[in-house]
Amino acid sequence: MSYARSIALASLALFAGALLSGCASNPATGGSNVVLSSMKGEIESGRKAYEQIVRAYGLYDNQAVQDYVSAVGQRVARQSDMPDAEFKFVVVDDDSINAFTTGCCYVYVHRGLLLQLNSEAELASVLGHEVAHVTARHPARRQTRGVLASILATGAAIATGSGAVADLANLGATAWLQGYGRANELEADRLGLKYSTKAGYRPESMGEVFEMFRRGERFELDRARAEGREPRIYHGLFSSHPTPDARAVQAAKGAANVDTAPPGGWTENRDEYLRALNGMVYGSSRVQGIVRDNRFYHADLGITLAFPRGWTVENLRDRLRAYTPVKDTFMQITVDAVKPGQSPREFLLANLRGASVRGGESFNSNGMEGYSLLTTTGSPLDGGAGPVRWTVLYRGKSAYVFAGASKSSRDGRPEADGLFRSVMQTMRDLKPSEAPLAEPFRVRIKQATADTKLDEYAASVPVDKYQKEELLLMNGLYPDRKLKAGQLYKIVE
């Protein structure tokens, strides 16, 4: 879950559902906003969006974590300008660093963001920010630029092979919609800070969330400079805002009618929060499949396959993407259902209907029936002009579809045509002895002693490089802060 890969899909908003022209009172500001949806319409749109978001991302399969996040969210929402609204707080099964709302009254948190936070108070400030977007009706005011439009557009771009492979390969790091605008984001900061402070959470924690993003941005700038590329900077939650200074914190306390700490002091719950993360999935989850050393393992599907060493393998929820370091060769693998009685040849021709095809052949690989052909166009590397190798393998009732393209071609075939066949032939049944390899990496919480050195755990972080930096970032220690004796900290194993 590196910053370079997971900084994505930031502060998204409302699905464009049934919209009704009108003017609505703003519960947070007391004024009137011209919006295109009634509150009833917004609630219905939010419900529809929930169904599609769950299909796209999936829910994180840990009820204890879901309940914990929901409890914190409800505590904050009860102090908002819509205390009686039925807010729903949902952790989605995605390792990117993000939180968003679709309007009244759904708030989504990616599990990847939870791993970057380091206290319950920080979580409360994030949830307060998203609740504030709802109470200020920012999603409704932003109209149709919503999260589902983003998901659908991203999927269409991949499916049609449009754009260069650089865009496709970096889609996870660059496919984000603009937020609500600086004025609305600052309004959400102010309101969210008021809500979390009224709920008793330490107000300075919002500034610490800002600093978490700042550290990630600093790391990405340093990394891009070392790698000689343009930085992929996070453009979402809190990214463009100044860290709240003492005056902003004091204003939040005043808005909450609390000039001093409440009885018992401000709530931070750092240790409680970290213990709640113990065992949380890091990177891809079991249901998504696990990549280890360029080999993919999927326990539920019961398969494994390998890619050439040195390739980048991106495990997305609905597909695998792999490409060379210079991005001149690209592969994608998806899974579809086999229709009764449909042969592999019929399946591929039906799915490529309208394309110019040639060179079809049937074959068998590791006991799986397959078919392969070329389309004369469709490559994502040259605007669709180059050829693509398409292969389908039948395994049970599933059809595994491989697509491969190269920047250059020879005799109407992608330059790496033979390599694509080699990758396809590595797909086989998962052996019982390989079952542990299909289990996800997990975060574990430990307590530091005077002799603890975080560097000793860096090798276990499953990223190609910068393991130490990833671990420092996750613990809020980047670039050079040290652990203190007795402090809880995160490792990956």
Side-chain angles (χ1 to χ4, degrees):
M1 186 189 53
S2 70
Y3 268 82
R5 185 173 78 81
S6 68
I7 290 176
L9 291 174
S11 282
L12 303 175
L14 177 68
F15 170 56
L19 299 178
L20 303 173
S21 296
C23 186
S25 175
N26 188 311
T29 65
S32 293
N33 295 322
V34 176
V35 296
L36 295 183
S37 66
S38 66
M39 182 60 75
K40 182 179 179 181
E42 187 176 340
I43 292 171
E44 178 61 18
S45 293
R47 185 190 62 76
K48 291 179 179 178
Y50 170 82
E51 296 170 358
Q52 298 192 43
I53 288 167
V54 169
R55 282 199 295 272
Y57 286 116
L59 299 178
Y60 179 52
D61 187 18
N62 186 312
Q63 194 58 48
V65 171
Q66 295 282 359
D67 291 345
Y68 180 76
V69 171
S70 180
V72 175
Q74 297 298 343
R75 177 174 171 176
V76 172
R78 285 194 296 269
Q79 301 301 323
S80 76
D81 295 286
M82 295 172 57
D84 298 324
E86 295 183 12
F87 276 89
K88 295 178 178 61
F89 298 88
V90 181
V91 181
V92 295
D93 189 17
D94 188 90
D95 66 341
S96 56
I97 304 168
N98 190 36
F100 64 94
T101 178
T102 57
C104 191
C105 291
Y106 291 82
V107 173
Y108 301 88
V109 181
H110 293 223
R111 58 174 168 81
L113 175 58
L114 295 179
L115 293 182
Q116 299 298 324
L117 302 177
N118 280 285
S119 75
E120 186 178 304
E122 290 182 7
L123 173 62
S125 68
V126 169
L127 299 180
H129 178 94
E130 298 303 329
V131 168
H133 277 311
V134 175
T135 63
R137 303 213 65 198
H138 294 158
R141 288 152 64 185
R142 213 181 80 161
Q143 302 176 13
T144 61
R145 291 183 299 165
V147 62
L148 295 180
S150 175
I151 293 171
L152 294 174
T154 298
I158 298 170
T160 59
S162 62
V165 73
D167 295 330
L168 288 174
N170 293 325
L171 200 53
T174 59
W176 56 275
L177 290 178
Q178 293 181 353
Y180 299 100
R182 183 174 176 83
N184 286 349
E185 292 293 347
L186 290 174
E187 185 174 49
D189 294 345
R190 176 180 59 79
L191 292 171
L193 189 56
K194 180 180 77 169
Y195 301 158
S196 61
T197 301
K198 287 181 69 176
Y201 287 104
R202 181 171 168 267
E204 291 83 2
S205 295
M206 179 175 279
E208 289 159 6
V209 176
F210 280 64
E211 286 306 315
M212 180 269 287
F213 284 113
R214 295 280 191 273
R215 287 189 296 269
E217 183 175 286
R218 176 178 175 181
F219 168 59
E220 172 59 13
L221 289 169
D222 291 344
R223 178 173 179 171
R225 189 179 303 110
E227 296 176 351
R229 60 170 173 81
E230 288 296 314
R232 296 188 286 271
I233 299 300
Y234 184 82
H235 290 283
L237 184 68
F238 300 142
S239 64
S240 62
H241 310 167
T243 300
D245 59 18
R247 291 172 299 173
V249 170
Q250 190 58 41
K253 292 178 181 179
N257 295 316
V258 181
D259 293 325
T260 59
W266 296 109
T267 299
E268 182 165 22
N269 286 351
R270 183 182 191 278
D271 289 359
E272 291 87 341
Y273 179 80
L274 293 178
R275 290 191 179 102
L277 299 185
N278 191 43
M280 176 170 273
V281 169
Y282 177 97
S284 297
S285 65
R286 189 178 191 273
V287 72
Q288 295 164 339
I290 309 300
V291 177
R292 296 177 186 265
D293 297 326
N294 283 59
R295 178 169 278 276
F296 177 73
Y297 302 88
H298 201 295
D300 293 344
L301 296 177
I303 63 163
T304 180
L305 69 153
F307 295 92
R309 290 198 173 275
W311 280 36
T312 295
V313 181
E314 291 185 345
N315 182 16
L316 307 180
R317 184 162 189 85
D318 62 343
R319 68 196 64 226
L320 276 176
R321 286 201 306 245
Y323 48 91
T324 58
V326 294
K327 300 173 184 174
D328 61 351
T329 298
F330 171 78
M331 285 194 74
Q332 177 174 280
I333 303 170
T334 57
V335 186
D336 204 347
V338 174
K339 294 181 179 179
Q342 190 177 46
S343 70
R345 177 180 180 275
E346 292 168 337
F347 174 92
L348 212 50
L349 291 175
N351 279 268
L352 297 173
R353 186 177 292 110
S356 175
V357 302
R358 68 182 185 88
E361 59 175 321
S362 300
F363 64 93
N364 189 286
S365 177
N366 294 320
M368 292 174 283
E369 186 183 5
Y371 191 80
S372 185
L373 55 76
L374 289 164
T375 56
T376 58
T377 58
S379 168
L381 303 176
D382 50 15
V388 178
R389 166 63 65 182
W390 292 90
T391 302
V392 61
L393 277 176
Y394 273 15
R395 184 178 181 275
K397 297 180 180 180
S398 297
Y400 292 81
V401 182
F402 296 71
S406 298
K407 196 168 225 179
S408 57
S409 59
R410 185 177 298 176
D411 299 326
R413 299 171 180 266
E415 185 74 31
D417 197 32
L419 184 61
F420 299 149
R421 174 62 67 88
S422 297
V423 170
M424 177 273 301
Q425 289 174 336
T426 69
M427 181 171 148
R428 58 171 173 77
D429 290 346
L430 194 67
K431 300 175 182 177
S433 62
E434 294 173 317
L437 298 175
E439 293 300 319
F441 295 93
R442 295 187 183 274
V443 166
R444 300 298 177 188
I445 305 301
K446 292 183 173 291
Q447 188 169 32
T449 68
D451 299 322
T452 299
K453 293 181 175 60
L454 204 57
D455 298 18
E456 297 173 356
Y457 299 98
S460 298
V461 180
V463 293
D464 293 337
K465 50 186 177 179
Y466 302 111
Q467 291 101 324
K468 175 184 174 182
E469 288 80 1
E470 293 287 346
L471 206 53
L472 288 170
L473 284 164
M474 191 165 62
N475 283 283
L477 299 174
Y478 185 83
D480 53 13
R481 294 171 61 194
K482 306 296 183 184
L483 287 170
K484 298 177 182 178
Q487 178 179 346
L488 297 185
Y489 64 97
K490 310 165 192 163
I491 65 167
V492 180
E493 61 181 26

